[in-house]
């Protein structure tokens, strides 16, 4: 029977290896212990107990967070097996032991049977329970990485194992990520984002690159610009958004999530290896027991991986530390791009949910719009701002992917000299490090540390890279230095979010088309009149009143594409007024700016927003309309819309607003943050999005906040 016990134990060990280390076999391992103890005696049972504990340890190695914990778990299981063995010996010596043995066998069989039944039930529930891409995205957000960068407990525990896994995971992630982030586009070809400096626009919007088999930006551009060409009514566009676009966004999440998990695992392992290497005082030659081969240099993560493998092969400690750090940052960027893609698509779906609650606006407006223009009219409806301008966020993901999946000449030049490489700038990619260091040096000690923290914070990492790229390309780094010095004087211990907010070059989703637009000399002079002693909310009002005075003193209502044109032509509409308030406010070193869009179907109106907090630290949105008289005071969203809202003079004959939406900074443009329905069947409903990096609203919810009476 001892042989039978060994055979049974071996079979269970193989079964556990096949099933996976997540499954517990502790109960099943009692079976060979029982057979050996009952039929071969105490010592045989004890030996099988030791072997069972060892088999479990081998099969679950790496499942625990550390080696000591794995050994602790194995010792605990061994104790259970030995106690079970001793109980069997005691029972074997008792009179009437046959009946007791039968009861034990029945109990053990019942337990094993119950375990299999529950596992089968769980499999059926998991297989048939409804699940949506949005649910998966929410689950991914709930398991987000920390502000210190990716965190994971990889199975590899030695430098040799970590490096071997890094090689495998780098190759796997780059292969899986390319179709999601770039499609079949050549990363060395024309970029999906064109640099636009002051004076480049001549009455037209910048050209947009589209590609049906591109990344998220070029594909979205094709979807919006070409798939909607035949749409000729508000209801037809509503149906397109709720069917074609919704399905596309859900597909984007479904395709991206598994690839994002792989990228996250790679980034976590790269950070772990970099931390390990950074602690070495001399190269641990004995830690690498066999040579490792990797030789790919066509993209940045692979170039870093190849350089790291060569450094380890040469036993070069300094080079190993350097390239492990570069690999950690490169893979963090890849991880963050995937995180942004999930967040943007999920946020877009939340905006479409709000749009669906406002279906009544599409119904009532449908017969009133004589000529529906898909490229413009949708902006007068909820979620329309994302339709016309929100895909700039997706394009920025794709632009950064172009850089990551290639080796542009400026990067090669920078890594050859490393003139701007510091312990802080290593957290951003080569190409923007000079701007990173220049802007960091404008800050005081506390904010310098926060600046570095931003570079290794999820979502803010790619956002910061974008803002540095825009400032460098538009020659506004010196202007931004002046802004950061003001912010440092006002908020010497700013949060990551506050530091990042002041960098945003757009005051509205339909703004910033010339990347230096906010730094027009007249707007910088206006910002200089706002004292640093003033609170952010008072500075917001001051910026609003300066804009209002500009409009009412010597300007007229009119459409322009840039603040430069608005100032030159003395023309202002609601979008440019919002943009102007944001420029003056941010140029004064102030943060937490957003905008509100009022939707009325045949009309729409934009106002500026300050994302503040109440005395008890709850989110509070204060709004200011730059087209109203400067004597007007800011109002609180959404309470100011409970009983309707008055438009600026000259707009009174337009239909009353149906809903109001708040937009906050995204990766490059703005994202949907919250919305309130003013009238219609769902009047009084307030919805918020869960935006992981925003301190304003992290919780996604929909609730009734006002019970009427509602405006008609």
């Amino acid at each position: 029977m001892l042989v039978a016990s060994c055979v049974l134990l071996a079979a269970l060990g193989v079964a556990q290896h096949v099933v996976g280390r997540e499954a517990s076999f502790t109960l099943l391992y009692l079976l060979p212990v029982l057979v050996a103890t009952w039929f071969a005696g105490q010592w045989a049972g004890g030996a099988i107990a030791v072997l069972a504990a060892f088999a479990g340890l081998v099969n679950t190695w790496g499942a625990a967070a550390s080696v000591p914990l794995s050994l602790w778990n194995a010792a605990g299981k061994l104790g259970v097996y030995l106690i079970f063995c001793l109980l069997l010996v005691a029972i074997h010596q008792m009179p009437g032991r046959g009946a007791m043995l039968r009861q034990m066998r029945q109990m053990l069989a019942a337990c094993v049977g119950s375990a299999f039944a529950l596992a089968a039930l769980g499999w059926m529930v998991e297989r048939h329970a409804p699940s949506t891409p949005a649910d998966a995205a929410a689950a991914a957000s709930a398991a987000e990485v920390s502000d210190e960068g990716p965190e994971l407990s990889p199975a590899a525990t030695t430098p040799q194992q970590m490096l071997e896994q890094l090689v495998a995971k780098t190759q796997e992630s780059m292969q899986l990520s390319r179709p999601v982030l770039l499609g079949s586009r050549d990363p060395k070809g024309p970029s999906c984002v064109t640099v636009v400096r002051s004076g480049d626009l001549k009455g037209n919007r910048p050209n947009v690159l589209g590609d049906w088999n591109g990344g998220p930006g070029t594909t979205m551009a094709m979807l919006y610009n070409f798939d909607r060409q035949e749409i000729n009514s508000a209801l037809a566009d509503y149906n397109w958004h709720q069917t074609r676009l919704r399905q596309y966004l859900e597909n984007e999440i479904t395709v991206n999530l598994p690839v994002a998990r792989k990228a996250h695992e790679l980034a976590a392992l790269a950070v772990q290896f970099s931390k390990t290497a950074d602690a070495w005082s001399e190269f641990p030659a004995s830690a690498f027991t066999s040579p490792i081969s990797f030789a790919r240099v066509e993209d940045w993560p692979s170039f870093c991986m190849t350089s790291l493998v060569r450094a380890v092969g040469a036993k070069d400690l300094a080079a190993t530390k350097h390239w492990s750090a570069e690999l950690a940052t490169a893979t963090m960027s890849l991880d963050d791009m995937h995180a942004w893609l999930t967040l943007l698509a999920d946020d877009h779906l939340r905006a479409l949910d709000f749009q669906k609650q406002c279906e009544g606006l599409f119904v009532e407006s449908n017969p009133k719009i004589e000529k529906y223009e898909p490229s413009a009219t949708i902006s007068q409806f909820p979620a329309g701002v994302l339709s016309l301008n929100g895909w700039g966020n997706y394009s920025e993901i794709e632009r950064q992917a172009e850089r990551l999946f290639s080796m542009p000449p400026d990067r090669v030049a920078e890594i050859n000299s490393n003139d701007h490489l510091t312990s802080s700038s290593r957290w951003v990619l080569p190409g923007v490090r000079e701007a990173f260091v220049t802007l960091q040096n404008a800050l005081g000690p506390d904010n310098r540390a926060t600046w570095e923290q931003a570079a290794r914070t999820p979502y803010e990492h790619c956002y910061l890279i974008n803002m540095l790229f825009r400032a460098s390309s538009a020659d506004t780094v010196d202007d931004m230095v002046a802004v950061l010095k003001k912010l440092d004087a006002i908020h010497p211990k700013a949060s990551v979010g506050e530091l990042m907010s002041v960098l945003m070059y757009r005051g509205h989703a339909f703004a910033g088309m010339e990347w230096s637009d906010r730094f027009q000399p007249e707007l910088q002079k206006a910002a200089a009149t706002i004292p640093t002693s003033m609170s952010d909310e008072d500075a917001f009002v001051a910026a609003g009143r300066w804009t209002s005075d500009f409009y009412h003193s010597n300007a007229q209502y009119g459409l322009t594409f840039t603040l430069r044109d608005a100032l030159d032509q003395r023309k202002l509409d609601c979008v440019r007024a919002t943009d102007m308030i944001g420029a003056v406010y941010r140029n004064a070193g102030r943060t937490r700016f957003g905008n509100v869009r009022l939707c009325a179907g045949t009309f729409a109106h934009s106002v500026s927003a300050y994302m503040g907090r109440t005395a008890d630290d709850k989110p509070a949105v204060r709004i200011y309309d730059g087209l109203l008289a400067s004597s007007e005071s800011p109002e609180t969203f959404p309470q100011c819309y409970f009983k309707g809202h008055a438009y600026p003079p000259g707009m009174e004959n337009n239909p009353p607003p149906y809903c109001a939406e708040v937009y906050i900074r995204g990766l490059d443009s703005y994202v949907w943050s919250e919305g309130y329905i003013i009238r219609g069947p769902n009047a009084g409903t307030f919805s918020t999005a869960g935006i992981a990096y925003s301190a304003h609203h992290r919780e996604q919810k929909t609730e009734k906040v006002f019970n009427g009476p509602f405006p008609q």
Side-chain angles (χ1 to χ4, degrees):
M1 296 305 292
L2 182 59
V3 174
S5 301
C6 292
V7 172
L8 180 57
L9 177 62
L12 289 173
V14 172
Q16 185 178 19
H17 178 75
V18 173
V19 172
R21 65 190 188 188
E22 293 84 3
S24 174
F25 270 55
T26 303
L27 185 64
L28 296 177
Y29 279 128
L30 293 177
L31 292 174
V33 175
L34 185 152
V35 173
T37 304
W38 195 262
F39 294 104
Q42 176 178 340
W43 293 107
I48 294 296
V50 172
L51 290 175
F54 180 75
L57 174 64
V58 170
N59 278 317
T60 60
W61 185 262
S66 64
V67 173
L69 191 55
S70 294
L71 296 176
W72 170 270
N73 292 340
K77 292 174 185 177
L78 176 60
V80 171
Y81 301 150
L82 291 175
I83 291 172
F84 182 65
C85 175
L86 292 175
L87 286 173
L88 286 173
V89 171
I91 293 171
H92 195 275
Q93 296 172 353
M94 294 172 59
R97 58 182 178 274
M100 187 169 292
L101 179 61
R102 283 193 298 274
Q103 289 180 352
M104 288 188 64
R105 286 202 304 261
Q106 291 170 358
M107 180 65 69
L108 192 57
C111 290
V112 172
S114 299
F116 278 111
L118 290 173
L121 178 62
W123 177 82
M124 293 176 63
V125 170
E126 184 177 63
R127 182 179 176 87
H128 298 290
S131 177
T132 66
D135 295 332
S141 296
E144 269 306 337
V145 294
S146 75
D147 288 351
E148 298 300 317
E151 288 184 356
L152 194 68
S153 296
T157 56
T158 69
Q160 176 79 26
Q161 291 173 328
M162 283 193 282
L163 193 60
E164 289 172 347
Q165 285 198 15
L166 275 175
V167 166
K169 289 180 180 293
T170 298
Q171 188 164 350
E172 178 187 37
S173 282
M174 296 307 290
Q175 183 176 5
L176 292 174
S177 294
R178 196 191 195 288
V180 177
L181 300 178
L182 272 180
S184 60
R185 287 187 57 233
D186 181 1
K188 300 185 291 294
S191 176
C192 63
V193 173
T194 303
V195 175
V196 186
R197 298 181 177 86
S198 183
D200 284 355
L201 292 187
K202 307 296 182 184
N204 293 305
R205 298 179 62 176
N207 292 329
V208 177
L209 182 67
D211 194 316
W212 279 121
N213 192 23
T218 54
T219 304
M220 186 73 77
M222 293 294 288
L223 197 65
Y224 269 118
N225 292 329
F226 289 92
D227 201 55
R228 297 170 62 243
Q229 285 182 329
E230 303 302 319
I231 289 177
N232 57 11
S233 72
L235 273 177
D237 215 359
Y238 169 80
N239 290 329
W240 183 89
H241 278 78
Q242 292 298 324
T243 54
R244 180 65 187 271
L245 179 60
R246 181 180 288 276
Q247 188 62 61
Y248 170 79
L249 293 169
E250 290 178 349
N251 291 350
E252 191 79 283
I253 292 174
T254 300
V255 171
N256 182 57
L257 275 178
V259 183
R261 293 191 188 102
K262 293 290 186 182
H264 182 63
E265 291 174 5
L266 169 62
L269 188 59
V271 169
Q272 172 117 356
F273 187 88
S274 180
K275 289 180 178 178
T276 300
D278 201 48
W280 293 335
S281 57
E282 59 182 25
F283 191 86
S286 60
F288 297 96
T289 55
S290 59
I292 298 173
S293 176
F294 189 83
R296 294 183 59 189
V297 294
E298 62 270 23
D299 60 73
W300 181 233
S302 296
F303 185 95
C304 295
M305 187 73 254
T306 299
S307 300
L308 175 58
V309 168
R310 289 172 179 169
V312 170
K315 298 180 175 56
D316 187 331
L317 179 60
T320 298
K321 290 185 176 184
H322 170 75
W323 286 111
S324 65
E326 291 283 20
L327 180 64
T329 302
T331 55
M332 180 186 294
S333 285
L334 181 68
D335 181 24
D336 213 33
M337 290 176 207
H338 285 290
W340 264 110
L341 183 54
T342 297
L343 182 145
L344 291 173
D346 184 59
D347 179 77
H348 214 146
L349 287 170
R350 299 287 72 77
L352 291 182
D353 290 343
F354 182 74
Q355 183 188 79
K356 190 173 184 178
Q357 292 180 305
C358 300
E359 182 180 1
L361 177 60
F362 290 85
V363 173
E364 75 172 43
S365 303
N366 203 59
K368 300 176 183 178
I369 302 175
E370 294 183 3
K371 185 178 181 181
Y372 190 91
E373 296 286 350
S375 61
T377 313
I378 189 62
S379 69
Q380 298 165 182
F381 291 90
V385 168
L386 292 183
S387 297
L388 293 188
N389 309 104
W391 39 262
N393 290 311
Y394 298 98
S395 294
E396 178 55 26
I397 293 176
E398 191 167 347
R399 184 200 70 80
Q400 293 194 29
E402 293 169 356
R403 299 273 304 179
L404 200 70
F405 281 84
S406 63
M407 287 295 293
D410 64 293
R411 177 184 297 148
V412 176
E414 182 162 345
I415 63 176
N416 285 335
S417 63
N418 283 328
D419 290 339
H420 312 293
L421 180 62
T422 68
S423 60
S424 296
S425 70
R426 56 145 288 199
W427 290 101
V428 296
L429 300 180
V432 295
R433 286 175 177 167
E434 182 178 5
F436 179 94
V437 172
T438 300
L439 295 180
Q440 185 181 36
N441 289 338
L443 299 168
D446 290 321
N447 282 336
R448 286 184 190 179
T450 306
W451 183 261
E452 178 186 329
Q453 183 185 352
R456 48 188 170 85
T457 298
Y459 303 107
E460 305 295 12
H461 172 79
C462 279
Y463 171 82
L464 178 56
I465 287 175
N466 180 34
M467 293 300 110
L468 295 172
F469 163 71
R470 306 274 168 165
S472 300
S473 302
D475 299 321
T476 59
V477 173
D478 290 341
D479 296 307
M480 192 58 72
V481 165
V483 169
L484 287 178
K485 286 181 177 179
K486 292 177 184 177
L487 178 139
D488 197 62
I490 301 163
H491 299 292
K493 295 184 178 182
S495 66
V496 167
E498 288 172 332
L499 265 180
M500 296 299 98
S501 176
V502 80
L503 300 178
M504 186 58 162
Y505 70 104
R506 301 180 189 267
H508 189 281
F510 191 54
M513 285 177 281
E514 290 184 347
W515 298 354
S516 61
D517 210 23
R518 67 176 268 194
F519 293 113
Q520 299 299 321
E522 193 170 350
L523 301 180
Q524 290 180 299
K525 289 179 181 178
T529 65
I530 300 177
T532 57
S533 58
M534 188 178 283
S535 69
D536 282 347
E537 183 171 342
D538 288 342
F540 170 70
V541 175
R545 287 177 175 164
W546 186 92
T547 301
S548 179
D549 287 340
F550 168 85
Y551 176 65
H552 288 281
S553 60
N554 60 356
Q556 58 181 329
Y557 188 87
L559 175 66
T560 58
F561 284 112
T562 65
L563 290 170
R564 174 178 57 81
D565 285 340
L567 292 166
D568 290 344
Q569 301 172 22
R570 318 312 282 181
K571 287 183 179 179
L572 215 58
D573 66 346
C574 63
V575 170
R576 212 54 58 214
T578 301
D579 191 18
M580 185 174 286
I581 294 172
V584 174
Y585 177 73
R586 285 189 171 122
N587 288 348
R590 308 304 177 132
T591 71
R592 295 179 290 183
F593 183 84
N595 56 77
V596 172
R597 185 71 167 173
L598 293 161
C599 303
T602 57
F603 179 74
H605 186 60
S606 292
V607 298
S608 58
Y610 166 69
M611 319 303 289
R613 313 289 295 186
T614 62
D616 54 349
D617 200 35
K618 293 182 179 179
V621 180
R622 301 283 280 164
I623 64 173
Y624 195 97
D625 191 335
L627 299 184
L628 290 172
S630 61
S631 58
E632 296 289 337
S633 299
E635 299 176 289
T636 301
F637 176 92
Q639 289 83 351
C640 62
Y641 299 123
F642 282 176
K643 297 185 178 181
H645 198 69
Y647 290 128
M651 302 180 184
E652 299 91 343
N653 295 329
N654 288 298
Y658 191 96
C659 65
E661 305 171 292
V662 177
Y663 290 86
I664 64 173
R665 69 174 175 94
L667 177 58
D668 180 69
S669 184
Y670 281 74
V671 295
W672 191 88
S673 175
E674 55 198 74
Y676 174 73
I677 303 177
I678 300 171
R679 56 186 180 88
N682 294 315
T685 301
F686 179 61
S687 300
T688 58
I691 302 175
Y693 60 87
S694 171
H696 184 72
H697 274 305
R698 288 184 179 270
E699 182 182 0
Q700 176 187 311
K701 61 181 179 180
T702 296
E703 59 184 342
K704 192 91 167 182
V705 295
F706 181 60
N707 294 314
F710 303 108
Q712 300 300 315

